[in-house]
Amino acid sequence: MKTILVAESGDDWIGEFDDITIVDPRDYLAFPDTKTRGRTRVYNLSRSYAYQSMGYYVSLLAEARGERPIPDVTTIQDLSGSAAVRLLPQHLEELIRSSLKGLTGEEFVLSVYFGENLAKKYDRLSRELYNVFQAPLLRFTFSRRSQWRLRHATAISLSAVPENHRPFVSEAAKRHFARGRSSRPKRKSMRYDMAILHNPAEGDLAPSDESALKKIVRAAAAEGINAELITRNESGRLLEFDALFIRETTAVSHHTYRLARRGQAAGMVVIDDPLSILRCSNKVYLAELLTRAKVPTPETTIVHRRNADELATQITYPCVLKRPDSAFSQGVVKANDSDEFLARLAEFFEDSELVIAQRYMRTDFDWRIGVMDGRALFACKYHMARGHWQIAKHDANSPAKPQFGKCDTFPVETAPRKAVATAVKAANLIGNGLYGVDVKEVDGQFYVIEVNDNPNLDSGVEDAVLREELYRRIMESFVRRIEASRQTSV
C-alpha cells in the first residue's frame, strides 16, 4: 500500500521518509493519482482542518477517491467539537485517571505525536488515545475536579508543534512509518492484506483458538491474502489493511465495534460489520426482528418495570431471562418462580431498561448452524454442560474458564433440513456476514434462540467436517468482497 504525506512546503522540518511521497495540499487536490486509488494511505498534515479548509478537502477528496485519509472526515468532525469527549470508552477513562493521578494542579495538556508523547510514562495513554482518535498530531486537555477527565481534544498541524518538540516529532514519524515497513513482509504472490483482530487474554472464551487462527492465516495465504494477527494495542495500524476479520468477542460499547466502524468507513471489508454487531448484540432487537419475520422462536416477552409485576403472575415457569447484550450464556438466568423472576429482574434493570423473558425449553443440545453469504457452512450440536441447563457453565471463581458441553459436528447435508433452512432465514435478516444461529429442536419443531455475529471457529470443533475447506470458503468470500469494493471505488 502506497503512503502519501500531505504537508505545506514550509513544514519541511519534519524531514523525509523512505517510500513516503510528500505532497503539498494544493498539488494533492489538483493532481489526483488515478493509478493508486484504493491502495493509498494519505497522512493529512495540512495547517487547518476547519470546515471547507484546505485540510478538510484533502481528507474529504481522499475518501471520494477511495483512499484512506488519516484523519478521515469523521475524525475531523469529532475533534472539532465536544463529540470527542463523549466517544471515550470506559477503559480509557479509567486509564486517564490512573495515568494522571500523581499530578498536581487542575489542568494538564498532553501532546500525542504519531501515537507517542515525549514522556515515556504516558506511552500507554498516548497509544490508546491515538487508537481512538486517529490523527497524526493530537492535543488533549484534561482537567480535574473530583477526578481527571478529558475536557478537549483536537488535531493540530505541523505549524502548531512547539519548536522544542519538533526533533521528537520527526523521530516519532520515522518510527511510525518504519513500523509499517517492518511488519511481516508481504509475499509477492499476495494481492491483499488482512488484519485478524484477536485477544489472547480471552482464553477459552475466544471465538477462535490458537490453532484455528493459524489455519485462518494459512487459508488466507492460499487465496492471495497476507493475513496478520493484531490486538487492540495495534489498532493504530488498521488502515494498513484491505480487510478486517474480527476474532475477538464483540460488543457495541467496545473497541471491536469502534474498529469495525472505522474500517468500514475507510472502505475496508469488515467481518463482523458494525451493523451486524449492532443487531446481533441486542436480544430485544433480535426478538422483535424474528417475530415480525415469522421465524419460529420460543414464546418471548419484553419486560420492563411497568409490566414486570403483572407478568410475574402470568408467565409459565421456569422461564429464561436474558440481558439484551448477554453472550456465552452469561447474563442469562433461569427463574423457577415469581419471586426469583422479580429478584433477577431487579438485578438486570440496574443495567438495562428492557429484559427478555422466554419460555424455557429443555433440550440436551442446541443446533449451531454457521451461515455466511446466505449459505450454511457448518452444523454442530452443542450439548449442555454436565449437570447444567446451558452449553456453558460459569464458575464465579474462574469466569474466563467455563465448563462447556461436548460438541458433535455434521455435514450440513445430514443436519435436519428444517433446522438449516430456519437458521439461514434468520441469518439473512441480519445481513450477509458470518453468523452462528442457535436453534432448539423440540418435538420435531425448530426454534431460533439467537443469531450470533461472532460465531466460534475452533480447531476440531466447527471445522471437524470441512477442516481446511471451512477457512478457505471464508477467505474466498473476503476476496470476492475486496474485489467488489475495488470495482465500486474505480
Side-chain angles (χ1 to χ4, degrees), residues 92-353:
L92 190 45
E93 291 183 353
E94 294 170 357
L95 180 59
I96 289 168
R97 290 194 288 270
S98 63
S99 299
L100 306 184
K101 65 181 179 181
L103 294 177
T104 58
E106 302 302 319
E107 187 173 279
F108 177 69
V109 177
L110 182 76
S111 297
V112 177
Y113 305 126
F114 292 92
E116 299 183 29
N117 179 260
L118 277 76
K120 284 288 185 184
K121 64 180 178 179
Y122 299 124
D123 274 357
R124 184 184 172 199
L125 178 59
S126 298
R127 184 176 64 250
E128 292 280 1
L129 286 167
Y130 174 75
N131 286 342
V132 174
F133 307 107
Q134 280 203 354
L137 309 175
L138 292 156
R139 185 167 291 156
F140 300 93
T141 302
F142 306 90
S143 63
R144 179 174 60 182
R145 290 188 177 90
S146 60
Q147 55 191 1
W148 286 103
R149 293 185 182 279
L150 176 64
R151 295 301 176 193
H152 185 65
T154 186
I156 65 173
S157 66
L158 286 169
S159 60
V161 175
E163 289 280 352
N164 61 330
H165 286 195
R166 291 184 177 186
F168 176 84
V169 173
S170 181
E171 291 302 316
K174 288 179 182 177
R175 287 190 290 271
H176 179 82
F177 293 126
R179 279 193 292 271
R181 293 194 305 274
S182 63
S183 59
R184 187 157 52 93
K186 184 175 180 178
R187 301 176 195 171
K188 290 183 179 180
S189 60
M190 300 299 181
R191 295 174 288 170
Y192 307 116
D193 294 293
M194 172 189 286
I196 302 174
L197 181 68
H198 73 128
N199 180 4
E202 283 194 299
D204 293 345
L205 293 178
S208 287
D209 60 10
E210 185 177 351
S211 179
L213 291 174
K214 291 178 180 177
K215 291 180 181 180
I216 293 171
V217 172
R218 288 199 298 270
E223 296 302 317
I225 301 175
N226 185 62
E228 183 176 345
L229 298 175
I230 69 168
T231 65
R232 186 187 75 186
N233 291 338
E234 301 164 285
S235 60
R237 298 180 50 215
L238 183 64
L239 299 189
E240 295 176 15
F241 302 92
D242 302 295
L244 171 64
F245 191 17
I246 300 179
R247 291 284 81 205
E248 177 176 359
T249 305
T250 55
V252 174
S253 299
H254 196 247
H255 63 270
T256 48
Y257 178 69
R258 188 173 67 251
L259 293 175
R261 287 193 62 189
R262 182 184 296 162
Q264 188 177 73
M268 297 171 64
V269 172
V270 180
I271 296 176
D272 308 313
D273 64 274
L275 187 57
S276 291
I277 296 174
L278 193 66
R279 288 174 169 173
C280 292
S281 293
N282 194 290
K283 290 176 173 53
V284 173
Y285 174 88
L286 279 176
E288 185 71 16
L289 182 72
L290 296 173
T291 299
R292 288 175 64 87
K294 295 181 169 50
V295 174
T297 62
E299 183 180 339
T300 302
T301 304
I302 298 175
V303 189
H304 49 79
R305 287 179 174 86
R306 290 188 177 182
N307 68 358
D309 290 335
E310 181 181 356
L311 288 173
T313 64
Q314 297 175 353
I315 280 182
T316 301
Y317 296 100
C319 77
V320 177
L321 296 175
K322 300 180 178 180
R323 296 182 192 271
D325 59 351
S326 55
F328 287 109
S329 300
Q330 298 181 93
V332 180
V333 299
K334 184 167 65 172
N336 294 299
D337 53 42
S338 60
D339 289 340
E340 193 172 2
F341 176 84
L342 293 172
R344 291 296 197 173
L345 280 179
E347 296 172 9
F348 285 5
F349 284 149
E350 292 180 6
D351 301 317
S352 175
E353 291 292 329

Side-chain angles (χ1 to χ4, degrees), residues 359-402:
R359 181 166 69 91
Y360 172 64
M361 292 181 166
R362 187 191 178 285
T363 58
D364 294 329
F365 62 86
D366 287 347
W367 282 103
R368 164 63 66 86
I369 309 297
V371 179
M372 189 173 193
D373 293 329
R375 298 184 305 164
L377 275 178
F378 60 82
C380 299
K381 279 183 178 180
Y382 288 174
H383 293 264
M384 302 304 158
R386 184 185 297 272
H388 194 55
W389 61 280
Q390 294 169 290
I391 62 173
K393 184 178 182 179
H394 294 271
D395 184 343
N397 297 321
S398 303
K401 287 191 171 293

